[in-house]
């Protein structure tokens, strides 16, 4: 039966509705004129690919010493498996219960997990996406400890009641053999011994089981005779137990910080009691109690003293001291401090056999927020350099961007400057967790992820081929002065903590220009250079944003008439009026409001800048009359034009980073033309309330209101060149237009010497604040101003989006020219024309002309993304300049400095040649240019709102990808806006996802699924089809090491390890059946669908059989080779013997 595909039906319906909507619009092309679209719903499918980063809230750990695979369980029921660099896997328990313990079936490609909901699960690791084969849910007892002996199929389960049950891991059925707590302790104590905290078998005798109870009682149980051989008792509670490999001694760690060593045959008292971190009194009394030793491991070596590794046990007087791992080797004791509390640790040994010398070589330490591997073979115990991307959360992630199919030379360039940042002092040995194999992926395009962090750092990651590796780290906080103490902390911060946090960023991969906006209302422009420089003075622009409205005819307080200022259409950079300049002084006196003061202090000392990203310009918004600057909500940089534009709830500003000047500054309401039907009149004045520290999402509703301020009598501007010459140029270009309202501005600037800073301060239009925030925990505050506008519906308008393009800025234009599309939180899209001087010296000397052309179109909800297509449906990206090294020679600069050719000029006035793609929180529209007629419209959601939208390239075409607050991920074709994909993927339970979700080209997307992990997904059918090949393999056929040689005398006199026929002891025939009410068996999905990945759709049993056959065939091949070699050797020996016999055949004995 043919599978029914609802998406094809939707394609037909939406195509019909889209065409009818288009026909309803005047001037819309007929159906046969519409761009031919190639994208269909068959090109889309949504699935998770890989998860990167440190496992969030880890709870347990296990290691397979043969496969060299590490498994980590978390409190949310997740499993993360790690092998060699690039080999990692994520899987999740359905119950989301915490993983309390993990046990590998060593070299079997399987893993047992025990959960806090008293269930155990068997995972099959022989397939690329592990799946559960069996589950067992205990109904009457709580699981506290598990133990699976090496090369055994019987799993011991200890419970809170003190009993031990035994499970067959092949069938996941309970054995009738049960060790009851009362039988184990008998009359040795009158009270319940507490939960089982340890189970292990004697390394030399599998028939002897060591059981540790929490109260301090340890029992050596004889499995065959079903009774206790010895009982060991100590006053303090037990946390862990470790055997000596000879099976004659074991060590217990206790809650008072002591270690007790016991001989198996002398249970009366321990042979040794030590307190590793306790102060030894001189009078022979007991040492002072210390903190509990949570775990101890006892590992022996052939050549020297044994290692004893333990966590905890510090003295109580070490208050505030960080967690430590103690390594005791012979007479030396090393205390290794950790950055975070220790969750668990494991000692890695050369052999998996517990009855042989262990030969430890490393210790894996699982911390709450890190994974550390310590080299035990080198002096000083250095750590290994981790190949995993576990430092995503080194500082909380505040923003994230994803670039797929970027220029190929970018990753080597970033790596070359990033390799100098690596720490020194690591172990010289190879990373010990080296199992698994890489996938055979077909995706070969470069991918880069950029993360911004709360400490002001920015990290560039190589995300190609489903891997993740840090390339380069940029510290933006180096530009600013740091307060040395609390008393020196500046009181101008607008956030209580993390004043350097990254809020948003704009990156041009081709030119490598980077622009960063921080929460302290600052913008930093960076250039990429491969040479180290020292910047004597950091270039600074200070911008003052404020506006007072008044009628045109209202008199000025000083008696003079307010002059009609240049309109929003004018180049409102202050080059036009030739008023005298005078320095502006900031005030921060105790009796007056703060004014003209930035939130951060730019460093005054020389700044040494290493190869990589180097500061070009710092832009800071300053306090205005006691009110802090509004945080920046949108940002864009264009390397071809040399411009940076940023906006907030006060309006927008355009900065020429080549000339280091402020070009354009305008309030949001001023962008509307006088005849604009969408124009908003300023609200009635209301007394403002200082907004103070803005670190809470709810502060937006209490932010300062608009208020009218009396115009200042002094109107100052920065004089750069003759105003008459500029006015003439502007009037020729049609850049002047009158308006009904005037905005009285105040612009102050100072031009200083090389030791001074350049300050440009501007009073601009101010509206109600709408800041953007990040949250370090799960409480997301505000990621995009436009997103939250959908919720609070407040009547404020902020700039939410920018897009540089070369198109038609007016209906009457016949030639394309540089433009800037501006989107607001109220759904307005305005066009701003840019008049650029010729390239070369003129570009550095002449000012850039800027004109507001009014509103292009209005949408419901805040504008999220904008883009431009040509008449054939091809994406027209913003122009860019190819990268060149700014510190290279002039010849090399000229070679590299070539502006990307713009789209060819079009003089066809009769028809539209461009399509503007506009997407808001509610709907998407396609507007034809230059006619500015809407030809397509699609309502994305009515009941929810879009959090993130991007125009992306996919399968050789373009589409809009959207992520809604209700969890839906959708794609729309371009330009007809047909729905191609609509999947309810992820309900928005955590607003961190909304803040970090981003789409990229070729069907890739990602988001921060926890504070420490990045989840990558794909919405491409092709990638989903190839996913099995691209994923790494965890299990690789490896021959199990040979068991230790017992030796002639040990074999003769029975001194070696004693084996046990567990099948005969625990099987149903001898032990009987367990009670059905004790536990419930649940078949796992891995028996059916989960096995598909084992051999690309082949049944899992067959896949395992094939692997077994391969292993067997390999062994048979090796045996055949050895047999052939022996036969050849035998033939050679026979030939030589025959020749010798012929030589001496006729000779007498005395002739020999």
């Amino acid at each position: 039966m043919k599978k029914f595909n609802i998406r094809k039906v939707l394609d037909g319906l939406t195509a019909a509705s889209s065409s009818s909507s288009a026909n309803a619009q005047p001037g819309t092309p007929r159906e046969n004129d519409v761009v031919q679209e190639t994208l269909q719903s068959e090109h889309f499918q949504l699935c998770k690919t890989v998860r990167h980063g440190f496992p969030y809230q880890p709870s347990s750990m296990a290691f397979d010493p043969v496969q060299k695979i590490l498994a980590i369980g978390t409190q949310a029921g997740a499993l993360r498996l790690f092998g060699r660099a690039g080999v990692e896997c994520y899987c999740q328990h359905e119950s989301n219960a915490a993983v309390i313990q993990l046990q590998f079936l060593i070299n079997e490609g399987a893993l047992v997990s025990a959960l806090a909901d008293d269930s155990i699960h068997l995972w099959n690791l022989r397939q690329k996406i592990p799946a559960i084969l069996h589950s067992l849910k205990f109904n009457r007892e709580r699981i506290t400890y598990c133990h699976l002996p090496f090369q055994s199929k019987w799993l011991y389960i200890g419970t809170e009641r003190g009993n031990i049950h035994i499970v067959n891991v092949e069938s996941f059925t309970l054995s009738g053999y049960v060790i009851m707590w009362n039988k184990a302790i008998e009359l040795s104590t009158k009270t319940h011994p507490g939960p089982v905290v340890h189970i292990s078998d004697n390394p030399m005798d599998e028939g002897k089981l060591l059981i540790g109870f929490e109260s301090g009682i340890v029992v050596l149980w004889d499995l065959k005779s079903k009774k206790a051989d010895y009982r060991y008792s100590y006053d303090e509670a037990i946390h862990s137990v470790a055997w000596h490999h000879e099976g004659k001694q074991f060590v217990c760690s206790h809650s008072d910080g002591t270690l007790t060593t016991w001989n198996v045959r002398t249970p009366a008292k321990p042979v040794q009691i030590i307190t590793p971190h306790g102060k030894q009194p001189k009078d022979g009394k007991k040492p002072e109690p210390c903190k509990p030793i949570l775990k101890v491991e006892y590992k022996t070596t052939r050549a020297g003293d044994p290692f004893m590794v333990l966590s905890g046990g510090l003295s109580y007087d070490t208050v505030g001291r960080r967690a430590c791992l103690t390594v005791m080797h012979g007479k030396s004791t090393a205390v290794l401090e950790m950055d975070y509390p220790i969750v668990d640790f494991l000692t890695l040994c050369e052999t998996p056999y517990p009855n042989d010398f262990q030969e430890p070589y490393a210790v894996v330490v699982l911390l709450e927020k890190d994974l550390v591997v310590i080299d035990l073979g080198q002096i000083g115990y250095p750590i290994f350099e981790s190949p995993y991307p576990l430092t995503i959360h080194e500082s909380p992630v505040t923003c994230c961007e994803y670039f797929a199919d970027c220029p190929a030379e970018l990753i080597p360039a970033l790596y070359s400057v990033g390799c100098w940042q690596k720490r020194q002092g690591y172990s010289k040995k190879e990373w010990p967790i080296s199992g698994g194999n890489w996938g055979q992926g077909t995706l070969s395009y470069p991918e880069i992820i950029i993360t911004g962090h709360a400490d002001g750092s920015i990290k560039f990651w190589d995300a190609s081929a489903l891997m993740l590796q840090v390339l380069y780290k940029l510290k933006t906080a180096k530009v600013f002065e740091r307060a040395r103490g609390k008393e020196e902390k500046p009181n101008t911060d607008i956030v209580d903590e993390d004043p350097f946090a990254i809020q948003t960023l704009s990156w041009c991969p081709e030119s490598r220009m980077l622009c960063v906006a921080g929460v302290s209302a600052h913008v930093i422009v960076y250039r990429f250079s491969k040479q180290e420089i020292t910047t004597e003075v950091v270039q600074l622009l200070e911008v003052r944003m404020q506006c007072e409205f008044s009628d045109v005819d209202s008199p000025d307080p000083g008696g003079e008439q307010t002059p009609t200022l240049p309109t929003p259409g004018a180049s409102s950079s202050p080059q036009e009026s030739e008023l005298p300049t005078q320095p502006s002084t900031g005030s921060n006196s105790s009796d007056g409001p703060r004014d003209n003061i930035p939130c951060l202090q730019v460093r005054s000392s020389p700044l040494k800048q290493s190869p990589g990203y180097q500061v070009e310009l710092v832009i800071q918004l300053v306090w205005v009359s006691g009110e802090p600057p509004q945080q920046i909500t949108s940002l864009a940089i264009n390397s071809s034009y040399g411009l940076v534009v940023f906006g907030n709830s006060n309006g927008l500003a355009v900065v020429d980073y080549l000339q280091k000047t402020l070009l354009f500054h305008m309030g949001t309401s001023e962008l509307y033309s006088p005849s604009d039907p969408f124009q908003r009149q300023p609200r009635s004045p209301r007394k403002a309330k200082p907004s103070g520290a803005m670190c809470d999402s709810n502060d937006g509703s209490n932010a300062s209101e608009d208020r009218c301020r009396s115009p200042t009598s002094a109107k100052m501007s920065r004089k750069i060149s003759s105003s008459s010459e500029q006015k003439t140029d502007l009037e020729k270009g049609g850049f002047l237009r009158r308006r009904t309202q005037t905005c009285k501005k105040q612009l102050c600037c100072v031009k200083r010497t090389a030791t001074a800073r350049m300050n440009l301060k501007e009073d601009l239009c101010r509206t109600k604040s709408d800041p953007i925030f990040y949250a370090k925990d799960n409480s997301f505050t505000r990621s995009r101003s436009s997103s939250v506008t959908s919720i609070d519906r407040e009547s404020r308008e902020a700039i939410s989006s920018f897009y540089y393009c070369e198109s038609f800025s007016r209906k009457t234009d016949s030639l394309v020219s540089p433009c800037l599309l501006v989107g607001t939180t109220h759904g307005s899209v305005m066009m701003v024309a840019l008049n650029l001087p010729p390239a070369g010296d003129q570009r550095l000397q002449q000012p850039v002309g800027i004109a507001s052309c009014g509103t292009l179109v209005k949408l419901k909800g805040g504008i999220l993304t904008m883009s431009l297509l040509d008449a054939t449906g091809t994406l027209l990206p913003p122009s860019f300049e190819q990268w060149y090294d700014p510190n290279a020679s002039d010849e090399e600069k000229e070679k590299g400095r070539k502006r990307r050719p713009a789209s060819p000029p079009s003089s066809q006035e009769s028809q539209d040649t461009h399509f503007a793609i506009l997407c808001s929180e509610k709907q998407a529209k396609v507007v034809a240019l230059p006619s500015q007629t809407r030809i397509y419209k699609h309502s994305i959601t009515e009941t929810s709102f879009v959090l993130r939208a991007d125009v992306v390239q996919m399968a050789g075409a373009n589409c809009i990808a959207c992520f809604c607050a209700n969890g839906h991920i959708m794609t729309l074709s371009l330009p007809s806006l047909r729905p191609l994909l609509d999947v309810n993927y992820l309900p928005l339970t955590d607003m961190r996802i909304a803040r970090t979700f981003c789409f990229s080209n070729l069907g890739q997307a990602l988001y921060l699924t926890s504070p420490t992990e990045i989840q990558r997904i794909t919405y491409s059918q092709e990638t989903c089809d190839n996913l099995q090949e691209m994923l790494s393999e965890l299990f690789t056929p490896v021959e199990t090491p040979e068991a230790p040689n017992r030796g002639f005398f040990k074999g003769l006199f029975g001194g070696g390890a004693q084996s046990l026929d567990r099948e005969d002891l625990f099987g149903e025939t001898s032990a009987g059946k367990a009670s059905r009410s004790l536990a419930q068996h649940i078949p796992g999905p891995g028996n059916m669908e989960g096995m598909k990945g084992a051999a690309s759709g082949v049944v899992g049993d067959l896949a395992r059989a094939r692997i077994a056959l391969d292993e067997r065939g390999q062994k048979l091949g090796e045996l055949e080779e050895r047999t052939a070699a022996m036969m050849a050797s035998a033939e050679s020996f026979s030939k030589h013997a025959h020749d010798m016999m012929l030589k001496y055949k006729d000779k007498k004995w005395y002739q020999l």
Side-chain angles (χ1 to χ4, degrees):
M1 180 178 175
K2 190 175 180 181
K3 187 177 179 182
F4 177 71
N5 194 336
I6 188 66
R7 290 186 296 184
K8 292 183 179 180
V9 178
L10 284 173
D11 281 346
L13 292 173
T14 52
S17 63
S18 294
S19 61
S20 63
S21 172
N23 291 333
Q25 288 296 318
T28 302
R30 294 185 303 274
E31 193 167 347
N32 54 0
D33 295 330
V34 178
V35 174
Q36 185 67 34
E37 296 177 4
T38 57
L39 280 181
Q40 301 296 329
S41 58
E42 288 80 7
H43 290 102
F44 296 88
Q45 183 180 342
L46 193 70
C47 67
K48 294 181 180 180
T49 52
V50 289
R51 181 173 291 198
H52 302 295
F54 182 77
Y56 183 55
Q57 294 180 335
S59 55
S60 57
M61 179 172 59
F63 182 72
D64 187 326
V66 179
Q67 287 289 319
K68 308 285 187 185
I69 295 290
L70 181 74
I72 296 176
T74 73
Q75 294 180 24
L79 280 181
R80 295 286 302 278
L81 296 114
F82 297 92
R84 66 177 63 185
V87 176
E88 52 183 298
C89 180
Y90 160 78
C91 36
Q92 177 73 41
H93 294 90
E94 286 186 7
S95 66
N96 298 328
V99 181
I100 59 174
Q101 200 173 350
L102 295 170
Q103 289 274 311
F104 272 103
L105 277 69
I106 295 176
N107 205 27
E108 296 291 331
L111 175 72
V112 174
S113 59
L115 271 58
D117 65 351
D118 309 310
S119 61
I120 56 173
H121 308 268
L122 178 65
W123 290 86
N124 175 23
L125 306 183
R126 290 179 178 249
Q127 56 197 55
K128 290 192 172 183
I129 302 178
I132 293 176
L133 295 175
H134 300 281
S135 297
L136 198 64
K137 180 76 167 64
F138 281 74
N139 298 321
R140 298 186 306 196
E141 296 199 55
R142 305 295 309 272
I143 298 174
T144 56
Y145 195 87
C146 300
H147 172 63
L148 181 66
F150 179 47
Q151 293 183 327
S152 168
K153 68 176 184 179
W154 297 96
L155 174 71
Y156 299 102
I157 305 287
T159 69
E160 195 174 42
R161 293 185 180 179
N163 303 324
I164 294 179
H165 303 276
I166 302 170
V167 177
N168 185 325
V169 293
E170 290 182 351
S171 62
F172 244 54
T173 55
L174 276 172
S175 167
Y177 192 111
V178 180
I179 303 174
M180 304 300 290
W181 68 270
N182 51 353
K183 285 282 188 98
I185 65 168
E186 287 188 347
L187 299 177
S188 61
T189 180
K190 297 180 180 179
T191 58
H192 191 279
V196 176
V197 296
H198 179 82
I199 306 172
S200 61
D201 46 355
N202 188 314
M204 286 296 181
D205 189 352
E206 296 175 351
K208 308 292 184 182
L209 196 68
L210 195 70
I211 307 167
F213 297 95
E214 188 181 59
S215 63
I217 298 175
V218 178
V219 175
L220 187 66
W221 181 265
D222 189 319
L223 291 169
K224 291 182 180 178
S225 63
K226 300 182 181 181
K227 65 177 184 179
D229 283 352
Y230 301 101
R231 297 180 182 89
Y232 317 84
S233 181
Y234 192 72
D235 295 337
E236 297 292 336
I238 289 177
H239 284 276
S240 70
V241 183
W243 277 102
H244 187 281
H245 83 277
E246 292 179 348
K248 297 177 181 178
Q249 282 187 340
F250 62 87
V251 177
C252 299
S253 71
H254 298 275
S255 58
D256 63 345
T258 58
L259 294 174
T260 56
T261 305
W262 301 80
N263 281 338
V264 170
R265 298 183 183 276
T266 55
K269 64 176 182 177
V271 295
Q272 187 183 36
I273 302 175
I274 61 171
T275 308
H277 297 286
K279 296 178 182 178
Q280 300 292 338
K282 296 180 180 180
D283 53 4
K285 293 181 180 179
K286 285 183 65 176
E288 294 180 2
C290 295
K291 296 176 184 177
I293 296 177
L294 301 177
K295 186 175 182 180
V296 63
E297 290 199 348
Y298 191 19
K299 304 297 179 183
T300 55
T301 60
R302 295 180 191 275
D305 296 315
F307 282 87
M308 196 173 290
V309 186
L310 54 102
S311 64
L314 295 177
S315 174
Y316 279 105
D317 59 7
T318 56
V319 179
R321 188 174 179 180
R322 292 187 292 184
C324 295
L325 187 82
T326 305
V327 180
M328 302 170 66
H329 183 221
K331 295 181 180 180
S332 68
T333 300
V335 181
L336 310 176
E337 280 196 349
M338 302 293 158
D339 291 333
Y340 306 101
I342 297 173
V343 176
D344 196 3
F345 73 87
L346 294 170
T347 307
L348 309 188
C349 302
E350 296 289 353
T351 177
Y353 294 93
N355 58 355
D356 194 9
F357 285 98
Q358 299 299 288
E359 303 294 344
Y361 58 90
V363 180
V364 181
V365 188
L366 178 63
L367 309 176
E368 282 188 0
K369 294 184 179 181
D370 201 1
L371 182 72
V372 177
V373 182
I374 299 167
D375 186 358
L376 292 179
Q378 290 190 31
I379 298 173
Y381 304 131
I383 65 172
F384 290 87
E385 184 178 8
S386 174
Y388 308 138
L390 303 181
T391 59
I392 292 172
H393 64 288
E394 189 175 27
S395 175
V397 177
T398 55
C399 70
C400 192
E401 294 295 336
Y402 190 8
F403 299 87
D405 200 18
C406 46
E409 67 275 5
L410 260 180
I411 291 177
L414 289 167
Y415 181 80
S416 65
V417 296
C419 63
W420 298 99
Q421 299 177 333
K422 291 188 176 181
R423 288 173 49 192
Q424 304 297 321
Y426 288 111
S427 171
K428 298 178 181 178
K429 296 180 183 177
E430 293 289 328
W431 180 252
I433 306 167
S434 56
N437 285 320
W438 295 319
Q440 306 299 318
T442 56
L443 297 181
S444 58
Y445 50 84
E447 300 172 76
I448 291 178
I449 296 172
I450 304 179
T451 54
H453 299 264
D455 63 353
S457 62
I458 296 173
K459 292 182 181 178
F460 292 78
W461 305 82
D462 178 9
S464 309
L466 296 186
M467 297 186 185
L468 194 68
Q469 179 185 10
V470 68
L471 293 171
Y472 173 71
K473 180 180 179 180
L474 172 65
K475 296 180 179 178
T476 64
K478 284 185 175 181
V479 179
F480 303 102
E481 300 281 3
R482 284 185 176 269
R484 298 180 182 177
K486 291 184 178 180
E487 66 281 354
E488 296 184 28
K489 185 176 180 180
N491 57 359
T492 55
D493 291 354
I494 59 175
V495 286
D496 286 340
E497 55 181 10
D498 299 326
F500 309 110
I502 305 301
Q503 185 146 319
T504 184
L505 58 88
S506 175
W507 187 51
C508 177
E510 290 79 11
S511 66
R512 305 183 191 175
M513 290 297 298
L514 175 67
C515 191
V516 178
V519 295
S520 296
H522 62 275
V523 175
I524 311 176
V525 181
Y526 287 93
R527 282 189 186 272
F528 185 86
S529 174
K530 293 184 178 180
Q531 300 180 23
E532 182 179 293
I533 63 169
T534 299
T535 304
E536 294 296 331
V537 178
V538 177
Q539 295 291 320
L540 172 67
L541 281 178
E542 290 184 352
V543 179
R544 177 182 173 93
M545 301 185 76
Q546 183 185 15
C547 180
E548 304 102 20
F549 284 110
S550 64
D551 295 334
V552 177
D553 298 329
S554 62
D556 193 68
E560 57 180 331
Q561 187 73 15
T562 303
T564 303
L565 297 182
T567 69
S571 171
S572 58
S573 66
Q575 298 95 335
E576 297 183 5
S577 57
E578 210 168 326
L579 296 175
T581 62
Q582 81 177 51
S584 62
T585 57
S587 66
N588 191 21
S589 60
S590 58
D591 55 347
R594 300 189 191 103
D595 198 43
N596 296 346
I597 300 173
C599 299
L600 299 174
Q601 185 73 30
V602 174
R603 63 183 293 165
S604 55
S605 58
L607 176 63
K608 183 180 179 182
Q609 304 198 70
S610 303
Y613 276 100
Q614 299 170 350
V615 178
E616 175 85 359
L617 177 66
V618 178
I619 307 162
Q620 286 184 292
L621 303 185
V622 297
W623 285 65
V624 178
S625 302
E627 292 186 12
Q630 299 302 297
Q631 292 185 338
I632 292 164
T633 58
S634 52
L635 177 72
I637 189 170
N638 187 284
S639 58
S640 180
Y641 306 155
L643 301 179
V644 169
V645 58
F646 58 90
N648 60 12
S649 58
N650 282 352
L652 65 85
V654 182
V655 171
D656 184 341
Y657 66 78
L658 298 178
Q659 297 186 24
K660 311 291 190 297
T661 57
L662 178 68
L663 293 174
F664 185 73
H665 35 75
M666 188 169 285
T668 311
S669 60
E670 295 179 89
L671 290 170
Y672 296 94
S673 64
S675 58
D676 202 326
F678 305 113
Q679 182 179 7
R680 285 182 175 81
Q681 300 298 325
R683 298 161 59 195
S684 59
R686 193 178 300 174
K687 189 174 181 180
K689 194 190 298 182
S691 54
M694 296 180 282
C695 56
D696 188 357
S697 62
N698 298 323
D699 288 347
S701 60
N702 299 322
S704 59
E705 299 286 346
D706 297 334
R707 67 174 179 181
C708 288
R709 297 176 177 85
S710 60
T712 54
S713 57
K715 296 159 182 75
M716 290 170 287
S717 178
R718 185 167 188 267
K719 176 183 170 185
I720 292 182
S721 60
S722 171
S723 62
S724 59
E725 293 177 2
Q726 292 187 37
K727 267 191 176 179
T728 305
D729 294 340
L730 292 171
E731 287 168 357
K732 286 178 182 177
F735 275 73
L736 288 180
R737 191 186 309 140
R738 293 188 59 82
R739 61 179 176 177
T740 57
Q741 286 184 332
T742 60
C743 181
K744 297 187 179 179
K745 304 183 186 70
Q746 189 182 66
L747 180 69
C748 305
C749 64
V750 181
K751 210 171 184 180
R752 303 183 186 176
T753 59
T755 58
R757 303 175 306 174
M758 187 193 316
N759 296 284
L760 285 178
K761 302 184 179 180
E762 179 81 14
D763 281 354
L764 296 184
C765 183
R766 185 184 185 88
T767 61
K768 193 172 180 182
S769 63
D770 187 83
I772 289 180
F773 301 102
Y774 70 95
K776 287 190 285 187
D777 55 6
N778 293 342
S779 59
F780 166 78
T781 53
R782 191 162 296 182
S783 69
R784 304 171 73 95
S785 165
S786 53
S787 302
V788 185
T789 308
S790 296
I791 302 174
D792 53 33
R793 294 295 178 193
E794 295 189 13
S795 58
R796 55 178 175 234
E797 186 167 24
I799 306 298
S800 61
S801 181
F802 294 114
Y803 187 76
Y804 289 101
C805 60
E806 296 192 3
S807 187
F808 308 93
S809 57
R810 298 176 180 84
K811 290 184 179 181
T812 56
D813 287 354
S814 59
L815 296 176
V816 298
S817 60
C819 304
L820 175 67
L821 287 172
V822 180
T824 73
T825 55
H826 283 178
S828 296
V829 178
M830 276 83 80
M831 183 77 82
V832 176
L834 307 174
N835 187 12
L836 296 169
D841 293 339
Q842 295 184 57
R843 173 64 185 85
L844 299 176
Q845 296 172 1
Q846 297 181 14
V848 177
I850 301 177
S852 175
C853 303
T855 305
L856 177 67
V857 71
K858 180 78 169 61
L859 286 76
K860 292 181 181 178
I863 303 299
L864 297 180
T865 189
M866 301 176 286
S867 195
L868 195 69
L869 303 181
D870 65 9
T872 63
T874 304
L875 188 67
L876 296 176
S879 60
F880 56 83
E881 190 178 58
Q882 289 291 346
W883 174 79
Y884 67 94
D885 197 324
N887 301 317
S889 62
D890 293 337
E891 293 181 2
E892 293 179 3
K893 286 183 183 180
E894 289 304 318
K895 287 180 183 178
R897 270 185 99 162
K898 292 181 181 178
R899 198 181 281 184
R900 183 189 70 85
S903 55
S906 172
S907 59
Q908 301 175 354
E909 299 182 18
S910 58
Q911 64 179 18
D912 296 315
T913 56
H914 285 176
F915 299 110
I917 312 299
L918 313 168
C919 184
S920 74
E921 298 171 323
K922 291 289 187 179
Q923 59 183 193
K925 287 185 181 180
V926 177
V927 177
L929 298 176
S931 67
Q932 299 188 4
T933 56
R934 189 253 297 172
I935 59 171
Y936 292 108
K937 173 184 174 182
H938 178 74
S939 179
I940 300 174
T941 177
E942 292 292 341
T943 58
S944 184
F945 57 94
V946 180
L947 289 163
R948 177 75 185 227
D950 290 291
V951 176
V952 294
Q953 295 179 339
M954 173 85 177
N958 305 299
C959 65
I960 299 179
C962 305
F963 173 56
C964 285
N966 59 10
H968 283 251
I969 291 179
M970 293 173 283
T971 58
L972 306 174
S973 70
L974 288 178
S976 68
L977 303 179
R978 286 182 299 114
L980 299 173
L981 174 74
D982 188 351
V983 177
N984 188 3
Y985 169 69
L986 184 69
L988 197 63
T989 55
D990 191 341
M991 295 301 285
R992 182 192 307 102
I993 298 167
R995 175 166 43 84
T996 57
F997 200 105
C998 50
F999 295 97
S1000 189
N1001 293 328
L1002 306 175
Q1004 306 299 323
L1006 63 82
Y1007 58 92
L1008 214 66
T1009 185
S1010 74
T1012 63
E1013 297 167 291
I1014 286 177
Q1015 177 66 57
R1016 293 168 67 179
I1017 62 175
T1018 182
Y1019 49 96
S1020 163
Q1021 179 70 55
E1022 181 184 4
T1023 305
C1024 289
D1025 293 341
N1026 297 326
L1027 187 60
Q1028 285 292 335
E1029 296 180 13
M1030 295 160 58
L1031 292 175
S1032 54
E1033 283 185 287
L1034 289 169
F1035 180 79
T1036 53
V1038 178
E1039 190 170 347
T1040 304
E1042 293 186 4
N1045 190 0
R1046 295 170 63 185
F1048 175 75
F1049 290 104
K1050 285 187 178 181
L1052 185 65
F1053 298 108
Q1058 303 295 316
S1059 61
L1060 173 71
D1061 187 358
R1062 295 186 176 92
E1063 182 68 37
D1064 181 55
L1065 197 60
F1066 303 142
E1068 191 174 324
T1069 54
S1070 57
K1073 290 185 178 182
S1075 171
R1076 290 187 178 182
S1077 61
L1078 182 61
Q1080 176 187 2
H1081 177 259
I1082 306 168
N1087 289 331
M1088 301 169 288
E1089 58 192 63
M1091 289 294 188
K1092 291 178 183 176
S1096 299
V1098 180
V1099 178
D1101 291 338
L1102 293 177
R1104 288 203 302 275
R1106 178 179 59 78
I1107 293 172
L1109 282 173
D1110 289 344
E1111 295 177 13
R1112 185 181 178 192
Q1114 184 179 357
K1115 292 178 181 178
L1116 286 174
E1118 293 174 359
L1119 180 63
E1120 187 177 352
E1121 289 176 4
R1122 287 199 293 268
T1123 305
M1126 290 175 64
M1127 289 179 64
S1129 177
E1131 280 186 25
S1132 176
F1133 179 78
S1134 173
K1135 181 175 179 298
H1136 286 299
H1138 184 68
D1139 292 343
M1140 187 72 73
M1141 183 267 293
L1142 292 177
K1143 181 179 179 180
Y1144 297 106
K1145 179 179 178 182
D1146 298 325
K1147 291 187 179 182
K1148 304 295 183 182
W1149 63 270
Y1150 53 84
Q1151 293 176 325
L1152 298 178

